[in-house]
Amino acid sequence: MFRPGFSTKKRGWGLGLSLAKRIIDEYHKGRLFVKTSEVNKGTTFRILLRK
């Protein structure tokens, strides 16, 4: 899901999560990962940032 181009939608480029992960990892030295995910319900992401 964090790959550039991955999308479950018919429109769009699928760059949102890959770009967000790259910014959090490289610029903020943090982590972005999937906390929970349920089909037809949604996904919760967790972002950890250093102080």
Side-chain angles (χ1 to χ4, degrees):
M1 114 176 18
F2 293 109
R3 290 187 331 261
F6 178 86
S7 181
T8 58
K9 300 178 180 179
K10 294 181 181 182
R11 296 182 56 176
W13 290 88
L15 295 176
L17 283 174
S18 63
L19 180 59
K21 183 166 176 37
R22 184 174 170 192
I23 290 169
I24 292 166
D25 290 348
E26 294 180 15
Y27 293 101
H28 299 288
K29 306 298 183 211
R31 292 187 59 210
L32 170 66
F33 55 94
V34 175
K35 184 175 179 186
T36 61
S37 185
E38 291 186 48
V39 178
N40 296 325
K41 238 184 172 186
T43 302
T44 301
F45 293 91
R46 184 164 186 184
I47 300 171
L48 296 176
L49 299 174
R50 303 173 92 189
K51 279 188 171 183

